[in-house]
Amino acid sequence: MASTGPERLIEKLALIPDGGEVFHGVAPLLERWCARLAEVFDAEGTSAMVFDGEGLQLCAHYGDLPSVAYRGRIKQGEGIAGHVLALGKPLLVENIEASEFFPQARYPQNQGKSFLSVPLLRDGLVAGIVNVRGGFGQPYKTHELQALSIAGLLVERDIQLVQMRGVLRSNFITVALEKAHRPDLNAMVKAAEDPGKLAKLLARSFYRELRRAGFASTQIIMAATEIISGLGTSLRDERKKSP
């Protein structure tokens, strides 16, 4: 693997589409990204992992990797990906065979000697990891790690686009958006036989739609937290209005 100069890397990254492609799910999107990154970084293989609240789950890859790699999760501190998950910072390993991570390598026969790993950050938290493994020639350098970090921003942007498109395609959201513009929405809710049961039904539907769109547990918790925060603000405003 020949090291690619910074100017050439920037040129290659600039040729990557701007996220306008439509993917039905996060996995197909990440499969395309893995293939793109393998070409940009002249890599032996690439992989993309998502954080589901408990650990990192392999979602897509390019190159040789056994199907068993898709089973189980990687916890914080386990191997390269787990190390990046714990610290939330990019990592460059010039020679994995001489590094502290080699004893924990899950598939050493599929490892190039040089390794890049960057977090996919959302609101400052790790939402996933992108890994690039080199061949057995010249190791990756710092500028390639920086370039992959930039690519990571593009990957996370596309993931959010796919997820939001999935949510907006759902029947539940379509109906909710339509009703949000009707002045009689409050009257409809009050007229319901059991408003509490109706609220629970809507909450369960929203949860299922978020799951179906590919959101992880931590992201759904963030959405629920935002709803609770909005409710708290509303209650405080109501108290201020009360005499």
Side-chain angles (χ1 to χ4, degrees):
M1 177 198 70
S3 179
T4 307
E7 296 82 5
R8 182 57 182 150
L9 275 177
I10 293 173
E11 290 175 3
K12 286 185 174 183
L13 287 175
L15 294 175
I16 292 178
D18 62 0
E21 296 177 76
V22 176
F23 292 90
H24 298 288
V26 172
L29 165 73
L30 291 178
E31 287 174 3
R32 177 67 64 85
W33 263 110
C34 284
R36 290 168 175 166
L37 293 176
E39 180 179 357
V40 170
F41 292 92
D42 296 325
E44 291 287 329
T46 59
S47 62
M49 316 176 87
V50 294
F51 181 63
D52 63 3
E54 298 180 11
L56 291 167
Q57 179 74 50
L58 182 64
C59 192
H61 80 283
Y62 178 88
D64 294 330
L65 203 60
S67 59
V68 69
Y70 284 84
R71 301 174 190 171
R73 297 180 178 89
I74 294 178
K75 306 293 185 181
Q76 284 194 9
E78 292 181 357
I80 293 176
H83 181 80
V84 173
L85 172 63
L87 297 183
K89 297 180 179 180
L91 180 66
L92 163 62
V93 178
E94 292 190 2
N95 185 347
I96 191 171
E97 293 181 356
S99 76
E100 59 184 290
F101 302 106
F102 188 68
Q104 302 179 53
R106 300 172 74 187
Y107 311 104
Q109 70 276 16
N110 296 101
Q111 298 284 2
K113 285 191 175 183
S114 192
F115 209 95
L116 302 172
S117 184
V118 303
L120 304 177
L121 298 176
R122 183 178 300 184
D123 296 326
L125 301 175
V126 178
I129 303 283
V130 170
N131 303 301
V132 172
R133 55 184 172 86
F136 297 88
Q138 187 174 353
Y140 286 125
K141 302 298 182 183
T142 301
H143 71 267
E144 288 161 316
L145 182 65
Q146 294 170 342
L148 184 60
S149 297
I150 294 173
L153 297 175
L154 303 178
V155 174
E156 177 55 24
R157 174 207 62 187
D158 283 358
I159 290 175
Q160 293 189 54
L161 283 174
V162 167
Q163 290 177 332
M164 291 309 300
R165 284 169 178 158
V167 171
L168 293 174
R169 279 196 303 267
S170 71
N171 291 331
F172 171 74
I173 293 298
T174 301
V175 173
L177 290 174
E178 289 176 353
K179 288 182 177 180
H181 295 287
R182 296 178 185 174
D184 60 345
L185 178 59
N186 290 331
M188 292 170 59
V189 174
K190 289 180 180 178
E193 182 177 350
D194 188 340
K197 185 178 295 184
L198 177 61
K200 290 180 180 179
L201 177 63
L202 291 173
R204 286 195 294 269
S205 297
F206 190 51
Y207 170 79
R208 286 195 296 269
E209 294 298 342
L210 289 175
R211 275 295 192 194
R212 190 174 292 116
F215 285 87
S217 298
T218 51
Q219 295 157 1
I220 295 175
I221 291 172
M222 288 171 63
T225 302
E226 188 66 25
I227 293 173
I228 294 171
S229 176
L231 176 60
T233 300
S234 178
L235 291 174
R236 287 193 295 271
D237 291 343
E238 289 295 328
R239 284 197 293 268
K240 290 179 181 178
K241 294 177 183 178
S242 299

